[in-house]
Amino acid sequence: MSGEHASTRIIEGYASGGADLAADEVWAVEAHLVECRVCRDRLSAAVVTEAPAVASLVGTVWSGLEPRLADTATMPRRRRPAWLSRWMTPTMVPWLAMVFGMTLLALLLDLAGTGSGAGPGFGLGSGEVSWVLLLAPVLPVLGVAVSWSRGLDPAYELTASAPRAGLQLVLRRTASVLGVVVPALFVGGWATGIMVAQWLLPCLAFTAATLALGGVVGVTRAAAALAAAWAVVVVAPTLATRHTSAALGTDALPAWALVLALGTAVVIARKGAYSVLKAHR
């Protein structure tokens, strides 16, 4: 890529099949072509000269499709902001509403005892467990899992094969989840008297760990595994002993900060892993 447009070498190499281009160059030119009409026109001209067989095939297919498309009734376009499609899928909306509802429920359970967030919560009775604090790390993970769920996204195949389906789209969808969950948790933490770092660091650390592990086994699988591990290692013992786990105490904050830093470093180091299909499992 050079300046605002792709170089002639890249355009011609892509038109001839991309065998002589590096993988990052192919990804970059595909992402650029989505936004740049000038380079798309240059690519069309290059295909005629560099790959005449392809140009002939496209012309034959188009000549057969064009009459049919003219006679086919088009579906009415839904009025949905274009920027919203770049940040989340339609299936994310009800799930984000569910996550928001879970946050509200946790807050109500915390306030049910004394009205100050120090109450017993649901069936605990000791006054030492906060449901907001207990659920904060896994709430964004649920949204992230849904945003990459193969079974819930009807456009999964298109999304997974799009040139912008790499780390940029992963971060956009994660940010959209955090944009809903974090403000809700902030209100819950303020109402229950929990210090911000005590829920925010585990929340962000779990999200970063999900993305880091997702580059290896898939984002949805990573989210499910970490949420299950949290339920077994922290939630179950907390409910059984009626005492807040040490993982949620202030002494554990440096460890959560380390997990956040390591997870972020792994995501950056393995950013190319999110451009392949296994990251969408």
Side-chain angles (χ1 to χ4, degrees):
M1 307 292 288
S2 60
E4 296 182 355
H5 300 292
S7 66
T8 301
R9 178 187 68 83
I10 291 180
I11 288 291
E12 292 180 351
Y14 187 76
S16 60
D20 297 331
L21 299 179
D24 58 339
E25 289 180 321
V26 173
W27 183 91
V29 72
E30 287 179 345
H32 178 71
L33 288 170
V34 173
E35 305 289 343
C36 183
R37 178 165 185 168
V38 173
C39 287
R40 289 199 299 269
D41 292 339
R42 292 172 56 205
L43 177 63
S44 298
V47 169
V48 175
T49 57
E50 298 293 330
V54 174
S56 176
L57 176 61
V58 171
T60 301
V61 172
W62 178 247
S63 63
L65 285 177
E66 189 174 17
R68 298 183 183 182
L69 294 175
D71 297 335
T72 302
T74 58
M75 294 292 292
R77 295 186 62 183
R78 295 182 179 180
R79 294 184 177 180
R80 187 166 180 249
W83 63 267
L84 189 61
S85 301
R86 299 175 182 175
W87 289 86
M88 62 177 63
T89 65
T91 55
M92 288 177 62
V93 177
W95 282 85
L96 286 178
M98 182 200 70
V99 171
F100 183 84
M102 290 179 62
T103 306
L104 179 60
L105 178 61
L107 172 61
L108 293 177
L109 290 174
D110 272 3
L111 298 178
T114 63
S116 63
F122 182 34
L124 296 178
S126 67
E128 298 183 9
V129 177
S130 166
W131 281 92
V132 172
L133 191 59
L134 197 61
L135 296 179
V138 295
L139 286 177
V141 171
L142 297 177
V144 171
V146 171
S147 70
W148 292 103
S149 173
R150 182 171 188 169
L152 295 176
D153 187 359
Y156 159 76
E157 287 82 3
L158 294 176
T159 301
S161 59
R164 290 184 180 270
L167 181 61
Q168 184 184 76
L169 187 57
V170 172
L171 295 181
R172 279 185 176 182
R173 291 190 177 181
T174 302
S176 68
V177 172
L178 292 176
V180 173
V181 176
V182 170
L185 288 175
F186 182 82
V187 174
W190 171 79
T192 54
I194 302 172
M195 60 184 295
V196 174
Q198 200 170 353
W199 60 262
L200 183 59
L201 273 178
C203 177
L204 296 179
F206 243 71
T207 304
T210 299
L211 296 181
L213 184 59
V216 179
V217 300
V219 175
T220 303
R221 292 178 180 177
L226 290 178
W230 179 260
V232 172
V233 176
V234 176
V235 176
T238 297
L239 298 181
T241 62
R242 300 185 180 183
H243 291 284
T244 301
S245 170
L248 298 173
T250 54
D251 292 342
L253 293 181
W256 286 116
L258 179 61
V259 172
L260 174 59
L262 291 176
T264 303
V266 171
V267 170
I268 295 174
R270 290 181 49 82
K271 59 183 179 180
Y274 303 93
S275 299
V276 296
L277 291 177
K278 68 178 181 180
H280 298 261
R281 291 180 298 182

